[in-house]
Every structure is written in C-alpha cells, then in structure tokens.
Amino acid sequence: MGMKHYPAEFKADAVVLYRSRPGATIKSVAGDLGVNTETLRNWIRAADGHGSGTHSAPPAAARTGVDDVQAELTAARKRIRELEEERDILRKAARYFGDGDALVNRFQFVADHQRRHGVKRLCGILGLSRSSFYYWRRTAAARAARQTVEAGLAARIRKVHQESDGTYGAPRITAELRDQGEQINHKRVARIMRAIGLEGVRLRRRHRTTVADAATAKAPDLIGRDFTAAAVNTKYVGDITYLPVSGAKPLYLATVIDLASRRLAGWAIADHMRTELVIDALTAAERTRGNLTGAVMHTDHGSQYTSRAFAEICRSAGVRQSMGAVGSSADNAAAESLNAAFKRETLKGRKAWSSEREARLDAFRWLTRYNTRRRHSRLGQRSPIAYENAFQLTSTTLARAA
C-alpha cells in the first residue's frame, strides 16, 4: 500500500487524543484511528519537538486543544478530590448518628470539625442551615444547664422508681416528687422515664376465684356500684384472689378494703378457699378498727361469703352484708382493682412465685406498703393511711370550728 497523506489538523487531533487518555498505548490509539503505530509515534515526537525534521511549534489549533484537555483534566481531578473528601466527612459523621437526636448530632459534628473543613462546607454536605447551626452554638450554655437539671431529675425519678420496687408509673412518681418539693408535671416525668427506659408495671389477666352457691341465701346490694364513702369505717368491700406457686398448691388472699380511704383494713392468706379464710380477713379488720358496728361489707356471691358461718360473724360484728350481681366484676370493682395491682406489682410479669414462702413474704411486704406508702390515684396520690390522717385532722378542725 502507498503511504497515506494526513492533514495537519488530523495529526494534531490524534496527538491530543493520545494525551487525553493517560492509560492508553500508542498502539491502541493508532488502532482506533486506523493509522500505523509508528506513524502516530512520529507525530507525537514531532509535537514534543523530538522529531528528525524541523522543530517548529505545533499548529495553534493543536495547542488550543491540548490546553483545553489539560484544563478539563485539572478540573476533574479537583472534583474527584472534593468528592473523596466529602465521602470521608460523611463516614466520620456517621459515627455521630448512632442514637439520640440526629439533628443535634449533626450540629455537634459541624462544631467538632469546623476548623478543618469550615462551617459553610460542612453544613452543605450535611444538609443543615448555617443560621440554625449558629443558633445551636449560641445557646449551648443554656442547653447544657438544662441537661444538667434533667440529669439530676432523672436520678431522682430512678430512685423513686426503685423504691417502689419498679412498680410506679409517671403519675405516682410525679406525686412523690411534688411531695419532695419538686415543681413538675407528669408529662415531663413520662418523657424522662421513656428516655431512661423506665415504666410502671402493667395489668395481668385475672384468675377466677368466685364460685357461687345457688342454694344459699343472698344479701341485697347496699352499694349499687357506688364505691365511695363519706367517712372511714362505714363501707367495706371484700374479695379473694389466687396466688400461683410453681410446683405447689396455690395460695389464696382474702382482703377487706375501706371504701373511704382504700385502706386494707384486714387480710388473710391460706392454701384453701374455705370460709375460714374470709372470716380471718374480717376478724383482722375488726382488730384494726376496734369495731365495725354499722359498717356495710360488700362482696361477690362466692360460696364463702354466702355461707351461714360468714353471715354469723358479720352479725356478731354488727356488720351489714351486701352483695353485687352474679358474675359481674363491676359490682366489686374496688376489690378487683386492688387484687390486680397487687399481682402485677409483685409478680412483675412472672407466671408464679417460686415458693409458698416467697409468695407470703411478697404479700406481707406489698400489703403493708400499700397502706403506709403506696400512692393511690383516687386519694390525690396519697397513701391510705396518709389520707386517713388528713381526713381525721380535717374532721377535728371542723368539729372545733362548729
């Protein structure tokens, strides 16, 4: 084949193409252009001033093309460096976003790295408003002071929660803190409890203990679902609840509750549900009050409460019996409520106590604490005995005034 003749512009563009592809070989570029490898090599040498011919400068068009490519390469390398730096910044920032408030964490990242990268660039990468960042930085001192107060409050909340055996929720903890002089509302307490992972004990499903005896006489309903009383020692409710024990016979708890103060006036525990159990509970209430003359004793239709022996004990104590509707827990709601609170705050999600001794000790501790310390929502978050003391003080004051 004869030698081909190529225009000067073609030769200059071929050289520019080769130089714009740093990884390419002369052979590959020559193949792309359809020219001989040695011919392209000569053109490159000539452009570099190493050719055997004249050393004249390359055409103006060639110089312009080379300059443009070099400028593009420089800009591309700069952009690559910027992207790599942004990638490194985001990798570091990811460590700040593991938990908590992501926005606050982004602000903190900017504050920690602003001297190296600048606020403007960091805010742009993280999608933040610079004015928001500067406001966050300006209010840092006030925010730190609030966090210190919150940390102290969280410690007090945790202490109250622990002293309640982990049973108190936000309302009762709020009442406890207010009694200690803390001005706080239950919403703030609830928020802090969520933040530190605390919660009260929730309700468990109840076990049926009421077995009616159709052959026995029933007392009239003297309560009518009105579980309030104007004075202590006038209206009581009684019930039996089941205490499961692992690998052993269950225990049963009978209670007598004053509707005025919700005080547990009497209680008894046994491994049976015979009438003696409820008689022992009523006898304990009579010892607590001194006498029960004229008081109403409201129960369900369980065979223990409808028995002749229990009726006789009530008569001898001067107590009037009252019974709700058959099969309706709403007719003895106050007693049901105490039983439910007792189980959820002692078992705490377990299915049973490990032994009879553990069950009896837990019951003794909780029932005593219920009267003396446990706050009751119906009593203005006071314990039953605290309520009775305040009630007696008020009554005495009114009597003197009269």
Side-chain angles (χ1 to χ4, degrees):
M1 294 178 60
M3 182 179 293
K4 293 182 179 180
H5 297 284
Y6 299 96
E9 292 82 0
F10 181 85
K11 295 177 183 179
D13 288 343
V15 172
V16 171
L17 177 64
Y18 168 71
R19 287 175 173 168
S20 69
R21 298 168 64 186
T25 63
I26 295 176
K27 182 177 180 180
S28 66
V29 174
D32 291 340
L33 297 175
V35 301
N36 184 276
T37 303
E38 197 59 34
T39 299
L40 179 58
R41 194 187 309 278
N42 289 334
W43 294 345
I44 295 170
R45 286 175 178 171
D48 290 339
H50 300 303
S52 56
T54 166
H55 294 280
S56 59
R63 288 199 304 273
T64 301
V66 171
D67 291 342
D68 290 344
V69 171
Q70 290 297 338
E72 290 177 2
L73 286 174
T74 301
R77 291 190 185 103
K78 180 181 179 182
R79 182 57 182 155
I80 289 171
R81 286 194 301 271
E82 290 174 349
L83 290 173
E84 288 176 343
E85 190 174 40
E86 288 182 10
R87 177 199 62 194
D88 293 340
I89 288 172
L90 289 171
R91 283 178 176 173
K92 292 176 183 177
R95 301 170 189 169
Y96 283 67
F97 307 154
D99 54 15
D101 189 326
L103 178 61
V104 169
N105 290 338
R106 287 200 294 271
F107 286 150
Q108 188 62 57
F109 179 81
V110 174
D112 292 346
H113 296 82
Q114 60 181 322
R115 297 186 65 180
R116 178 175 179 182
H117 301 290
V119 171
K120 181 178 180 180
R121 185 155 189 233
L122 289 172
C123 285
I125 292 172
L126 298 178
L128 298 175
S129 162
R130 276 185 288 165
S131 61
S132 297
F133 166 73
Y134 287 126
Y135 174 80
W136 176 85
R137 191 172 64 179
R138 189 168 61 252
T139 57
R143 188 168 55 255
R146 286 197 302 271
Q147 289 172 349
T148 300
V149 172
E150 291 264 305
L153 187 55
R156 292 193 291 277
I157 288 172
R158 193 183 296 278
K159 184 173 183 293
V160 172
H161 188 261
Q162 289 173 346
E163 289 176 349
S164 73
D165 291 337
T167 61
Y168 275 9
R172 288 191 173 93
I173 290 179
T174 302
E176 188 75 32
L177 292 174
R178 285 175 176 171
D179 275 1
Q180 296 173 11
E182 189 75 47
Q183 297 299 315
I184 191 170
N185 63 52
H186 72 281
K187 292 182 180 179
R188 188 179 182 190
V189 172
R191 173 177 58 78
I192 294 174
M193 289 182 69
R194 286 194 299 271
I196 61 178
L198 297 182
E199 62 178 8
V201 180
R202 301 183 183 276
L203 184 64
R204 285 173 48 86
R205 189 175 68 179
R206 66 185 294 272
H207 184 89
R208 183 171 180 262
T209 54
T210 302
V211 180
D213 185 349
T216 57
K218 308 299 187 293
D221 185 354
L222 304 179
I223 294 292
R225 297 190 181 182
D226 176 16
F227 297 105
T228 61
V232 298
N233 199 24
T234 58
K235 290 166 69 175
Y236 291 90
V237 292
D239 197 16
I240 301 173
T241 194
Y242 162 87
L243 310 184
V245 179
S246 296
K249 290 177 61 178
L251 297 177
Y252 297 91
L253 168 68
T255 55
V256 178
I257 307 163
D258 191 310
L259 287 179
S261 64
R262 291 301 197 272
R263 181 175 181 174
L264 188 61
W267 55 275
I269 295 179
D271 60 358
H272 61 79
M273 286 199 303
R274 295 191 295 273
T275 303
E276 301 97 284
L277 175 64
V278 295
I279 289 176
D280 288 345
L282 185 63
T283 301
E286 189 174 21
R287 286 197 302 269
T288 298
R289 292 305 191 194
N291 72 80
L292 300 174
T293 303
V296 172
M297 178 64 178
H298 184 80
T299 65
D300 57 29
H301 285 250
S303 59
Q304 304 87 348
Y305 294 113
T306 59
S307 66
R308 186 172 299 174
F310 186 72
E312 181 58 36
I313 289 294
C314 287
R315 279 194 295 272
S316 66
V319 171
R320 294 181 294 159
Q321 278 191 274
S322 169
M323 294 181 185
V326 177
S328 175
S329 60
D331 281 346
N332 203 14
E336 298 281 357
S337 177
L338 181 138
N339 292 339
F342 164 70
K343 286 188 178 180
R344 69 173 179 265
E345 294 182 11
T346 50
L347 285 173
K348 299 179 182 177
R350 296 177 296 163
K351 293 183 178 180
W353 280 274
S354 61
S355 66
E356 179 181 322
R357 182 175 183 276
E358 182 192 31
R360 287 181 179 274
L361 288 176
D362 274 1
F364 173 76
R365 182 174 185 275
W366 190 91
L367 296 171
T368 302
R369 188 177 182 280
Y370 170 88
N371 279 337
T372 59
R373 294 192 59 192
R374 186 183 182 277
R375 295 177 180 274
H376 202 295
S377 58
R378 287 183 174 271
L379 305 178
Q381 297 298 358
R382 288 174 289 184
S383 70
I385 289 181
Y387 178 84
E388 286 191 0
N389 291 339
F391 181 86
Q392 290 171 0
L393 179 62
T394 301
S395 299
T396 302
T397 301
L398 291 174
R400 289 175 179 173

